[in-house]
Amino acid sequence: MAEHDEDMAILELIGHAEALKRVRRRGWDLIGVDEPESVADHTFAVALIVLLIGTGRPAFDLRRALVIALLHDLPEALAGDATPFDESPAVSVDEHATLFQSLPRYSPAAAAAKRRAEEAALRAMTMRLSDGLRRLIVDAWEEYESNETPEARLVRQADRLEALVQARYYESTQPGLPVESFRFRAEAAVEDPDLCRLLELIDDPPPPEPSDR
């Protein structure tokens, strides 16, 4: 591939990725969050958690984990952010509030549709890149989806933990939001000992330090 063509392909991918700043996390929309975060906001926070927790671990490829964290939601720039309830667009806001008080599960059809849409988006976004860059991006996304390596597992668990942190923030600014499903998802997914300790602190913080004043 000519250098000019490669540069244009990289700029095209950057342009696609920029859209993640404008793709709102759909789960927050469904429960009525005012000004919900974007997918790009979420991606940054997940990568930060992975950096903080993964640094210094023996036999752990931190660079690989950060690549996975950075790219795990990249296809959503074109495919959008699907939720377990997207097969039921007629569900009302009140019904969504009820659904989000339990552990949501994708139906097989919804999971398959999400996978197909994101695979197609990733192909479209990377088709003009060099083989090396394309394989880096596609392999990282597929590694996250398969959830079979230590790096992918940490990223996936950090993803669930970050969603709970965000849920508690929204709950503090909009009391009464139905956010318990984010707690259930985190509890079901997080197994890493370091992340488990953080999970416990989110809803059971230590008492404040005594003030000298």
Side-chain angles (χ1 to χ4, degrees):
M1 179 182 291
E3 186 175 273
H4 175 268
D5 292 340
E6 174 77 343
D7 289 344
M8 290 301 296
I10 289 172
L11 283 176
E12 185 177 289
L13 178 61
I14 292 170
H16 284 309
E18 288 281 325
L20 291 175
K21 299 176 183 178
R22 299 179 293 278
V23 177
R24 304 201 310 185
R25 295 264 285 166
R26 182 158 167 75
W28 307 128
D29 270 331
L30 291 176
I31 63 172
V33 170
D34 294 333
E35 298 183 7
E37 66 172 342
S38 70
V39 174
D41 295 327
H42 166 71
T43 297
F44 165 76
V46 172
L48 180 61
I49 293 170
V50 170
L51 175 66
L52 295 173
I53 297 301
T55 296
R57 289 192 170 193
F60 183 82
D61 189 341
L62 179 61
R63 178 186 179 278
R64 182 63 178 174
L66 288 171
V67 170
I68 295 170
L70 181 64
L71 299 173
H72 78 284
D73 280 338
L74 181 63
E76 293 181 10
L78 295 183
D81 182 23
T83 78
F85 311 121
D86 281 352
E87 284 195 324
S88 304
V91 174
S92 69
V93 172
D94 287 343
E95 287 173 306
H96 277 305
T98 300
L99 291 168
F100 272 90
Q101 295 289 33
S102 60
L103 179 63
R105 297 185 183 278
Y106 287 99
S107 71
K114 174 180 169 64
R115 174 83 187 213
R116 287 194 302 271
E118 293 190 357
E119 285 176 337
L122 202 59
R123 283 197 302 272
M125 295 169 75
T126 61
M127 63 185 300
R128 296 183 57 209
L129 293 174
S130 65
D131 290 343
L133 278 178
R134 183 171 61 253
R135 286 266 43 102
L136 172 70
I137 294 169
V138 173
D139 288 353
W141 182 79
E142 290 180 345
E143 186 173 339
Y144 176 79
E145 290 292 306
S146 67
N147 198 34
E148 293 178 353
T149 65
E151 293 75 21
R153 287 193 292 270
L154 184 65
V155 175
R156 185 171 290 275
Q157 293 175 50
D159 178 275
R160 298 293 185 265
L161 183 78
E162 192 283 329
L164 178 59
V165 171
Q166 190 66 54
R168 290 308 182 214
Y169 168 75
Y170 287 142
E171 187 180 39
S172 72
T173 58
Q174 290 182 250
L177 284 176
V179 299
E180 284 311 298
S181 69
F182 296 96
R183 174 76 190 191
F184 298 144
R185 292 188 79 188
E187 289 177 339
V190 174
E191 300 175 345
D192 180 88
D194 294 330
L195 292 180
C196 282
R197 290 197 302 274
L198 296 182
L199 180 60
E200 291 175 2
L201 288 173
I202 291 171
D203 283 343
D204 187 21
E209 293 291 330
S211 173
D212 292 334
R213 296 180 182 178

